[in-house]
Amino acid sequence: MDLEVTPAGANSDTRSDARISHLALDIGGTLAKLVYFSGNKKLLNDDRVQSSAEVGGRSSSVLHGRLHFAKFETRKIDECIAFIHSKELGSQHPKELGNGKIVKATGGGAFKFADLFKEKLDVCLDKEDEMDCLVAGANFLLKAVHQEAFTYIGGQKEFVQINQDDLYPFLLVNIGSGVSMIKVDGNGKFERVSGTSLGGGTFWGLGKLLTKCNSFDELLELSQQGNNRVVDMLVGDIYGGGDYNKIGLSSTAIASSFGKTVSANKVLENYRTEDLARSLLRMISNNIGQLAYLTALRFGLRRIFFGGFFIRGQCYTMDTISVAVHYWSKGDAQAMFMRHEGFLGALGAFMSYNKQGPDNFIHLMKQDPKHEPEFDGTAPEEEDSEYASIDCFLDLA
């Protein structure tokens, strides 16, 4: 399956008349992520693709359509299943699993919920390795999609031009329920070199206990209204408002996350939930940024890409991670983020439908790198409208 990014808005009059196929899933401990392809029926003949195109010097059947992205809380997996059922998602691969319908899937939930998918949808989850999918998805985005990677610091977002001849090696930091740090040396060449259990699940779990929020997004929104200095102990709090100049710590640097609550004569109910959420987000983000740089330093890596649904495109989260990497590296290393950060695993699983290998999969996209995915405003209610769908051609050969 080859994808070619085309201008968003192309053939927009035909989007409502689409065939949904080629679904892939990444079911993690906190979220279930979906990537699926909607084909344009007006390019179909007798319900099958008959159009022919030259793909990398070979003749191939190609279907025009779009890649879409959606997510659900894993604890509400029934809602995910209902969405798949409503869209009649999936594709037939009789050569692989008899005459049954299969869906590519990765993540621990691909094992945990396999029987449920079979019972509810009569679908077999064809399981792909989680780390393989993460790396394949990241490589795909960084090589194929224009303006996918960007930096964010001091409120400024700047897209990064990726030199594909100088992409490797890099550190991929995937922040899900926990954090995996993966040294990537090429297509299919990687090693998980570090990680931490203090990730998105920690933020959501502690945040739920401290604030009574009912969703991750609600907790993130709450944190944007808070002031972490109410609960965090700063260097200035210890030094009477001054800096610790000898070791280069400013008065506003955090000396101890949540440290100010130790000396205050208060109980939990006396604190604003907004401030607690802000401090918690700052603590987790700072820790991840520091550990990521130290891991990159260990292997001599200067490029660090952050992915995973912990980030959610939140300015404060990205800025905190970026400042941590910049501070500890003294400006030598750079934190970079991806527009489709939470769908790396699902994209990698989607790519595994293709038996030609990742280079063939992205061949068409590399021919026309000037286009970028854009917000098209056509996403259904359940789909993540903040994540751009991608106009593409799907090679079915």
Side-chain angles (χ1 to χ4, degrees), residues 219-231 272-279 316:
L219 181 61
L220 273 180
E221 183 177 348
L222 186 69
S223 72
Q224 306 312 306
Q225 307 163 29
N227 178 9
N228 68 291
R229 296 184 181 186
V230 174
V231 293
R272 294 197 320 146
T273 54
E274 295 91 335
D275 300 334
L276 296 172
R278 183 78 159 196
S279 176
Y316 186 75

Side-chain angles (χ1 to χ4, degrees), residues 181-225:
M181 301 186 187
I182 307 164
K183 179 176 178 285
V184 182
D185 294 302
N187 285 330
K189 300 177 181 179
F190 65 89
E191 178 185 5
R192 186 183 186 275
V193 293
S194 189
T196 174
S197 62
L198 304 182
T202 312
F203 174 65
W204 174 213
L206 286 177
K208 185 177 181 181
L209 293 174
L210 291 170
T211 69
K212 310 301 183 184
C213 283
N214 293 315
S215 72
F216 193 103
D217 289 320
E218 183 184 350
L219 181 61
L220 273 180
E221 183 177 348
L222 186 69
S223 72
Q224 306 312 306
Q225 307 163 29

Side-chain angles (χ1 to χ4, degrees), residues 123-145:
V123 161
C124 292
L125 297 184
D126 191 12
K127 304 169 189 67
E128 299 291 333
D129 181 77
E130 186 172 356
M131 291 297 164
D132 285 341
C133 289
L134 282 173
V135 173
N139 283 337
F140 167 75
L141 290 170
L142 294 174
K143 286 184 174 182
V145 180

Side-chain angles (χ1 to χ4, degrees), residues 141-162:
L141 290 170
L142 294 174
K143 286 184 174 182
V145 180
H146 184 55
Q147 291 197 342
E148 175 67 31
F150 61 92
T151 59
Y152 190 96
I153 191 167
Q156 297 297 313
K157 179 178 182 179
E158 184 175 342
F159 284 103
V160 178
Q161 184 66 38
I162 301 296

Side-chain angles (χ1 to χ4, degrees), residues 264-394:
N265 188 23
K266 295 181 180 179
V267 295
L268 180 60
E269 290 73 19
N270 297 139
Y271 289 95
R272 294 197 320 146
T273 54
E274 295 91 335
D275 300 334
L276 296 172
R278 183 78 159 196
S279 176
L280 183 59
L281 180 61
R282 187 69 177 260
M283 179 180 71
I284 299 294
S285 300
N286 262 328
N287 186 62
I288 292 172
Q290 180 180 2
L291 289 177
Y293 168 66
L294 293 176
T295 302
L297 178 65
R298 175 185 169 196
F299 294 97
L301 306 175
R302 298 185 64 184
R303 284 185 296 274
I304 309 173
F305 293 98
F306 291 86
F309 259 120
F310 170 74
I311 300 171
R312 306 280 177 98
Q314 289 289 333
C315 299
Y316 186 75
T317 305
M318 293 188 293
D319 196 67
T320 301
I321 291 174
S322 295
V323 168
V325 171
H326 184 272
Y327 174 82
W328 289 105
S329 71
K330 294 181 172 58
D332 287 340
Q334 194 173 41
M336 287 180 278
F337 306 93
M338 288 180 276
R339 294 182 69 183
H340 295 87
E341 81 256 300
F343 294 95
L344 305 186
L347 274 168
F350 185 92
M351 291 171 62
S352 68
Y353 281 117
N354 172 51
K355 300 304 178 185
Q356 304 296 324
D359 287 333
N360 287 329
F361 185 79
I362 65 173
H363 180 80
L364 284 179
M365 293 192 74
K366 293 195 304 186
Q367 289 181 346
D368 194 8
K370 63 181 177 296
H371 299 306
E372 62 176 284
E374 296 179 1
F375 304 105
D376 57 30
T378 63
E381 183 178 351
E382 301 90 337
E383 188 179 339
D384 274 299
S385 58
E386 72 264 30
Y387 292 97
S389 59
I390 301 176
D391 262 334
C392 61
F393 287 100
L394 192 65

